Amino acid sequence: MNVVYQGFFLREGLIRLGHNVIDLSFSDGDDINDKLECVECRIDLVVLELWTLKKIPINLHKCKYTLVAYSIDSPLNEFWFCEMSRIFDHVFVDQKSSVRSLKQKGVQARWLPLCAQTKDFRHAPPKKKYDIMFVGNTSGYRVKRNNLLGLLKKHFSVTVLQDIAAAEMSGLFSQSKIVLNENFFSGLTLRIFQGLAAGSLVLTEEGGHGVDEYFKEGEHLDCYNPCNVISVFSKVLASYEEYSPVAMRGREICEKFHTTEARDRALLQHTQDKS
């Protein structure tokens, strides 16, 4: 297939599956039809990954090709994505909670979780350098996050980093005994996949939407809640070697079911079934 594509997360998988990817980038005010007229081959599909309003072309409703939307951080973007999504032939969201929320507004969306890139996987993890690693934004409005990190720092050695290049992420995670996942919304986040792929133990918030559909607590990762957070982290760090098999199984299941190829197969199968 010839796929016109704007984004990052699905590009690798499309190429590895043998499809021709035509990368297009859009600036404010670009007309999608003008951009597509410049493509020098037959177009089978147009896929746009949507994070913000900054890079969305105009006249999407006049596009003569099959349009696919993939909303990233969908719970944060529903307020603007909902109405615009009606233009697309197929709508995918990265968080399960958005499927129900959008359905209540008359939008039929399909859940397509994020995934690990090939570069994220570490099959021979190095010696652990960090006890607990968290990579993410710690600005003032992330109150819950900052409270959690502050509490953990009182009891453990916690490394907190932000603005880390994607190329460095896997190396940092692989050197960490625990990759901490905390997020603004409940769900199956990119940090979970990256931590698992790196071969480290992921500790994520209990009850995350959709997490238990793919991963089992105690078998692929572990979970904490506000009442047991200190005891859970203490137990893991006190007997970390006992948790190494959990980390390895987490990496294995991630490599088997949560790659870019797996996600693109699901997307393409759905678009073909519904076309």
Side-chain angles (χ1 to χ4, degrees):
M1 294 179 66
N2 295 316
V3 182
V4 173
Y5 178 72
Q6 174 191 254
F8 167 75
F9 292 104
L10 302 178
R11 184 179 188 277
E12 177 190 78
L14 289 169
I15 293 173
R16 290 173 71 90
L17 290 173
H19 300 290
N20 179 35
V21 176
I22 303 104
D23 291 302
L24 283 188
S25 60
F26 300 99
S27 302
D28 288 341
D30 280 351
D31 188 306
I32 190 168
N33 297 297
D34 292 342
K35 299 285 283 190
L36 295 178
E37 284 181 5
C38 299
V39 176
E40 298 179 351
C41 65
R42 184 192 75 254
I43 296 174
D44 298 302
L45 206 62
V46 178
V47 180
L48 305 182
E49 284 179 12
L50 304 176
W51 283 12
T52 69
L53 289 170
K54 295 180 180 179
K55 296 183 179 180
I56 298 175
I58 64 174
N59 287 328
L60 284 171
H61 63 292
K62 295 181 180 180
C63 182
K64 61 182 179 179
Y65 301 102
T66 300
L67 272 176
V68 177
Y70 185 29
S71 177
I72 310 298
D73 287 347
S74 55
L76 304 181
N77 296 320
E78 287 174 15
F79 72 99
W80 63 262
F81 176 68
C82 179
E83 291 305 315
M84 190 186 71
S85 66
R86 303 178 196 279
I87 296 171
F88 290 82
D89 300 290
H90 305 278
V91 177
F92 296 86
V93 293
D94 70 329
Q95 298 301 323
K96 184 181 179 182
S97 61
S98 293
V99 174
R100 180 178 180 181
S101 178
L102 290 171
K103 185 176 181 180
Q104 292 173 341
K105 300 177 177 69
V107 176
Q108 298 298 317
R110 187 177 181 88
W111 184 32
L112 189 73
L114 292 170
C115 55
Q117 305 284 316
T118 299
K119 63 177 176 55
D120 294 330
F121 288 94
R122 291 290 188 274
H123 295 93
K127 183 178 179 180
K128 301 300 183 183
K129 181 179 179 181
Y130 310 100
D131 282 348
I132 302 172
M133 170 68 69
F134 178 80
V135 176
N137 193 316
T138 57
S139 58
Y141 71 90
R142 306 304 286 263
V143 177
K144 177 169 72 75
R145 174 173 296 176
N146 291 331
N147 287 343
L148 172 63
L149 292 172
L151 175 63
L152 290 173
K153 285 179 179 179
K154 291 179 180 179
H155 298 269
F156 312 108
S157 173
V158 182
T159 302
V160 179
L161 301 171
Q162 54 184 329
D163 300 324
I164 299 299
E168 299 178 58
M169 192 82 71
S170 181
L172 290 168
F173 281 166
S174 69
Q175 297 176 70
S176 307
K177 293 179 178 178
I178 295 172
V179 172
L180 169 65
N181 180 58
E182 184 282 335
N183 207 60
F184 192 76
F185 52 81
S186 174
L188 193 52
T189 63
L190 182 61
R191 197 181 292 109
I192 293 177
F193 293 112
Q194 291 175 326
L196 292 172
S200 293
L201 180 67
V202 171
L203 271 170
T204 188
E205 295 173 275
E206 188 176 279
H209 289 303
V211 174
D212 60 356
E213 294 194 24
Y214 290 105
F215 305 109
K216 293 182 179 180
E217 181 179 354
E219 184 173 341
H220 306 117
L221 45 67
D222 216 335
C223 300
Y224 65 88
N225 62 49
C227 297
N228 68 11
V229 57
I230 299 302
S231 62
V232 168
F233 279 78
S234 296
K235 182 179 179 181
V236 171
L237 290 173
S239 53
Y240 184 74
E241 292 305 316
E242 296 179 16
Y243 287 86
S244 294
V246 177
M248 294 304 99
R249 288 193 295 268
R251 187 196 65 208
E252 289 167 3
I253 196 172
C254 191
E255 191 166 28
K256 187 174 182 180
F257 296 111
H258 305 291
T259 61
T260 55
E261 295 102 308
R263 294 296 182 262
D264 281 304
R265 284 193 195 97
L267 181 146
L268 295 175
Q269 182 63 54
H270 182 69
T271 58
Q272 291 165 8
D273 287 346
K274 304 285 281 189
S275 60

